[in-house]
Amino acid sequence: EECERLRPDVVFLSPPWGGPDYLAADEYDAESTLVPEAGSALMARALAAAPRAALFLPRTTSRRSVDAARVAALSAGCADFEEEWEFLNKKLK
């Protein structure tokens, strides 16, 4: 209701990744680890509230999770989907 009246320009999401246990895994699955909703569902909700959204995830996020977020964004009518990977001294951060 409030979002309809105050339509934001962008929604930034930085959901909890499950505590330090995510560091032990080789790959982070945002579709099964994030609760109560998967990363793609969060992206769809964010884009329902604003025309742009950003989802901050661990560097070990699986390709499958990123692709699911991309599909959710495109399904929500978002024409542009951009991934950003940060490197420092040739190392993924």
Side-chain angles (χ1 to χ4, degrees), residues 26-50:
D26 291 334
E27 191 173 73
Y28 180 78
D29 184 4
E31 291 302 291
S32 65
T33 307
L34 290 176
V35 289
E37 291 191 272
S40 58
L42 290 174
M43 180 62 79
R45 281 183 180 263
L47 289 168

Side-chain angles (χ1 to χ4, degrees), residues 45-76:
R45 281 183 180 263
L47 289 168
R52 292 184 239 26
L55 181 58
F56 181 66
L57 294 169
R59 65 177 175 254
T60 57
T61 300
S62 70
R63 182 82 245 156
R64 180 181 149 289
S65 295
V66 173
D67 289 344
R70 178 189 308 275
V71 168
L74 295 173
S75 297

Side-chain angles (χ1 to χ4, degrees), residues 6-24:
L6 298 173
R7 185 91 170 141
D9 293 327
V10 66
V11 173
F12 178 80
L13 302 166
S14 183
W17 301 333
D21 291 342
Y22 87 91
L23 291 170

Side-chain angles (χ1 to χ4, degrees), residues 74-87:
L74 295 173
S75 297
C78 181
D80 298 319
F81 184 93
E82 183 178 319
E83 295 173 46
E84 189 171 308
W85 302 85
E86 299 299 325
F87 288 86

